[in-house]
Amino acid sequence: MKPERIVPLGDLAAYVEFSRTLDLEVNETARRLAAAVRAAADPRVRDVVAGLGGVAIHFVPAIAEPAPALAEAIVAQCVRQGLPPAKKIGRDLEIPVCYDPEYALDLEEVAERTRLSPERVVEKHQKGSYLVLMIGFAPGHAYMGGLDPALAVPRRATPRALVPAGSVAIANDQTVVYPYAISGGWSVIGRTPLKVFDARRGEPSLFGTGDRVRFRAIGKEEFLRIAAEA
Amino acid sequence: MTIRVLRPGLLTTVQDHGRHGLQHLGLCPGGAMDPVALTLANALVGNPAETAALEITVIGPELHFEHDALVAVCGAEFQGDLPRNRPMFVPAGSRYRVGRAVRGARAYLAVAGGLAIEPVLGSRSTYLPGGFGGFEGRALRHGDVLHLNADSAEVSRARFASLKGRTGQTVRWWAPPLTLPDREPVLLHVIEGQHWEAFEPASQRAFLDAVWRISPDSNRMGFRLQGPALARVTEGDGSDEILSGPTALGSVQVPSGGVPIALMADHQTTGGYPRIAEIVSADVPRLAQLAPGASVHFARCSLETAAELRRDLQERLETALRGIAWSYGT
């Protein structure tokens, strides 16, 4: 529970570091702390961001104390009052994914690398239960842990210039869903028809840190139907 | 109540002070690259600080004002028809051209009464990577028609009439530019980044000793810095993976190629590259005023100094705002 160190992230933010390597237990602590700091709604706090190994607290420019000291006091108070249990953070989500070859741009390559058939790759991905460890890189872009180790492939040597929006991709021990058509180096094995980030929606981001995610395989017809409604 | 865009300029977007509180969803605050100049531009036309204005970049737009408007351009010095750092009354039917920047890179054109733009997620700022906010989520184009709030022509006439020191269509006084760097290389204060220790001592020295040039490959997300390549200490196991984590405005991250990137208004909220330094908040608007080709150098400072620089800038801004408020008789 005790942070390893609290370092300045510029003069208006501090990073509360628990670990420099990915550890799921540490990540859970970071997410619980982030939830507690956000719930405390300190008027000096502007943003609370859970990273894989720690939490950044961003402050308003008018703060009188140095950011790390302020962060330390806020963290200590949150820890004293007790962090929310991990189960209470995040939601259970079921995300429809079409694994058709048309959308699964790198499925063949992943199958070759993992020495599994494309069907087995899809089955293993679709059967997993995932946890959103961090949101970053782009609005709504969720890094999810829980990928079957049999599907571990490194990032592609040459990133794609434009990965289509909604693409479901894997690399190492994680899976992601691309919110926009952006460049990216993960292997694309499917696509969701849902809008991952929509600024006009009351809840703009489909995913939140701590969400528990399952993927449901859908056919192309259902994909097109949901996409038309979204 | 409209302004017609005759020529859009290089990159003209609607910006305010950004959307805070959404970084946990991966959305950076965004907003004006130089918020100090935006605040001054708004004050000069009597607007609240949070009013949205046009952010003009390096080459300005040409605009046709179809109604009376009180406008001010603040920040970088541009050639062209509009006086800098002063309120100016623009009668209906006027065409105004903001030329090329001669000093600094960005200016803010504020209009009394404000632009009629719907906020998205609590802000009128244009977020270009996501294509939302501001004017249709994009930079202005030829032929765009910007709507002003309904009473802005009346507001403009009344505010101009109430101003002290009027002469012709403008005033005899001006607001001080607070963020325009004077000489190059521009000094930027930094505090050590989270991964400072991960860089080789020679690279740490090079970072602080070198004169860095803003690369042409720079935008509202980040400024690439040309200079010596920076190298990381390789761990015993040969791994150089950095756990992906939160970034901040002004973070200087160094991808594996060794070319540092200073994160600007539309930056990514997390990153997997090591961060060698963090530019202090008071110096970020000065960096925002630099165009590609301009040079900077870095000096390490303490958090205390960073806080002093921040308070000093705030005090100078408040002094300027008091002066402007006095000219409005308030």
Side-chain angles (χ1 to χ4, degrees):
Chain A
M1 194 71 79
K2 200 173 154 42
E4 201 171 287
R5 57 175 188 161
I6 299 182
V7 293
L9 188 56
D11 55 315
L12 293 180
Y15 181 60
V16 183
E17 185 171 74
F18 289 100
S19 172
R20 291 181 206 193
T21 51
L22 181 57
D23 171 318
L24 291 183
E25 214 168 292
V26 163
N27 177 259
E28 185 179 291
T29 304
R31 282 182 283 113
R32 291 170 63 205
L33 177 65
V37 174
R38 194 166 304 113
D42 188 308
R44 295 166 299 186
V45 174
R46 261 182 169 172
D47 269 298
V48 187
V49 185
L52 293 176
V55 177
I57 307 177
H58 298 259
F59 297 104
V60 298
I63 51 169
E65 304 91 326
L70 204 47
E72 193 174 355
I74 289 171
V75 169
Q77 181 161 3
C78 286
V79 170
R80 262 199 310 278
Q81 290 174 346
L83 304 183
K87 282 195 196 76
K88 293 222 165 158
I89 305 163
R91 305 148 294 178
D92 291 292
L93 301 176
E94 193 188 72
I95 306 298
V97 176
C98 182
Y99 295 94
D100 262 26
E102 186 182 342
Y103 305 130
L105 308 176
D106 304 316
L107 184 55
E108 289 290 337
E109 205 181 295
V110 170
E112 261 170 53
R113 274 186 174 275
T114 57
R115 295 174 190 192
L116 296 167
S117 66
E119 294 74 24
R120 283 289 287 162
V121 171
V122 168
E123 192 192 323
K124 280 184 176 293
H125 185 262
Q126 192 250 310
K127 273 196 173 161
S129 62
Y130 302 91
L131 182 66
V132 178
L133 304 175
M134 181 175 85
I135 298 209
F137 180 62
H141 187 272
Y143 292 88
M144 297 179 234
L147 186 69
D148 189 323
L151 296 184
V153 289
R155 287 189 204 192
R156 295 162 56 81
T158 326
R160 235 189 212 93
L162 223 54
V163 178
S167 287
V168 176
I170 58 174
N172 303 319
D173 53 357
Q174 291 175 22
T175 188
V176 294
V177 184
Y178 283 89
Y180 296 106
I182 42 181
S183 99
W186 294 43
S187 298
V188 177
I189 59 165
R191 198 181 300 175
T192 179
L194 300 181
K195 268 196 144 175
V196 179
F197 193 92
D198 183 354
R200 299 254 164 215
R201 225 164 31 200
E203 183 60 68
S205 180
L206 181 60
F207 300 107
T209 311
D211 285 349
R212 293 161 294 274
V213 179
R214 286 182 163 278
F215 295 111
R216 178 170 62 88
I218 57 170
K220 200 176 164 192
E221 255 173 52
E222 192 174 354
F223 178 95
L224 294 173
R225 186 175 55 76
I226 299 174
E229 288 165 6
Chain B
M1 303 283 136
T2 52
I3 298 175
R4 191 172 293 274
V5 179
L6 302 177
R7 272 194 285 192
L10 184 65
L11 180 77
T12 304
T13 57
V14 174
Q15 300 292 345
D16 61 13
H17 288 280
R19 30 182 83 79
H20 292 277
L22 296 166
Q23 288 202 56
H24 63 290
L25 301 180
L27 184 58
C28 62
M33 292 278 277
D34 180 353
V36 176
L38 169 64
T39 299
L40 284 173
N42 272 325
L44 285 170
V45 296
N47 287 344
E50 62 272 16
T51 312
L54 296 181
E55 181 176 275
I56 294 165
T57 317
V58 181
I59 300 169
E62 185 171 349
L63 304 170
H64 184 250
F65 290 81
E66 299 183 341
H67 297 86
D68 289 350
L70 181 64
V71 304
V73 179
C74 246
E77 291 175 14
F78 280 77
Q79 302 163 325
D81 309 323
L82 289 165
R84 289 187 304 273
N85 303 325
R86 298 182 208 198
M88 160 137 180
F89 186 76
V90 174
S94 317
R95 276 168 84 133
Y96 279 95
R97 193 176 63 83
V98 182
R100 184 177 277 274
V102 288
R103 192 170 152 230
R106 292 177 168 81
Y108 296 84
L109 188 154
V111 185
L115 302 166
I117 298 274
E118 279 302 307
V120 176
L121 296 173
S123 164
R124 292 173 174 83
S125 288
T126 312
Y127 178 58
L128 295 170
F132 62 81
F135 188 87
E136 298 179 3
R138 60 168 172 83
L140 298 186
R141 291 181 197 146
H142 167 81
D144 283 342
V145 176
L146 292 166
H147 289 267
L148 299 171
N149 285 318
D151 55 353
S152 69
E154 280 158 59
V155 166
S156 288
R157 287 189 289 267
R159 283 189 192 161
F160 186 61
S162 74
L163 268 172
K164 292 184 181 133
R166 283 195 310 280
T167 173
Q169 293 182 3
T170 182
V171 294
R172 273 183 220 101
W173 50 271
W174 56 88
L178 298 178
T179 47
L180 272 195
D182 37 15
R183 61 178 124 63
E184 291 187 26
V186 174
L187 174 67
L188 300 173
H189 295 85
V190 295
I191 55 179
E192 281 182 14
Q194 193 186 332
H195 309 110
W196 170 262
E197 298 291 342
F199 289 87
E200 286 184 359
S203 287
Q204 293 173 344
R205 279 195 301 275
F207 178 73
L208 296 170
D209 290 345
V211 170
W212 298 89
R213 219 164 260 290
I214 315 284
S215 151
D217 189 12
S218 296
N219 54 32
R220 282 184 46 91
M221 293 180 77
F223 284 8
R224 284 187 162 71
L225 303 172
Q226 296 167 331
L230 302 177
R232 304 247 318 268
V233 178
T234 312
E235 299 289 333
D237 59 0
S239 86
D240 58 353
E241 287 279 300
I242 287 279
L243 198 54
S244 202
T247 59
L249 180 65
S251 290
V252 181
Q253 61 180 27
V254 185
S256 47
V259 178
I261 303 172
L263 300 187
M264 302 304 280
D266 284 344
H267 66 88
Q268 295 175 346
T269 55
T270 65
Y273 299 124
R275 293 184 301 281
I276 191 168
E278 302 282 342
I279 300 167
V280 304
S281 61
D283 284 351
V284 172
R286 296 170 62 239
L287 174 57
Q289 284 298 352
L290 299 182
S295 59
V296 299
H297 68 114
F298 296 108
R300 247 192 309 184
C301 76
S302 63
L303 269 180
E304 289 71 27
T305 304
E308 269 168 40
L309 292 167
R310 192 172 79 229
R311 279 193 290 269
D312 176 62
L313 177 60
Q314 184 60 27
E315 271 167 29
R316 284 185 294 136
L317 175 60
E318 279 166 16
T319 303
L321 293 177
R322 273 196 301 275
I324 296 167
W326 179 84
S327 302
Y328 271 103
T330 50

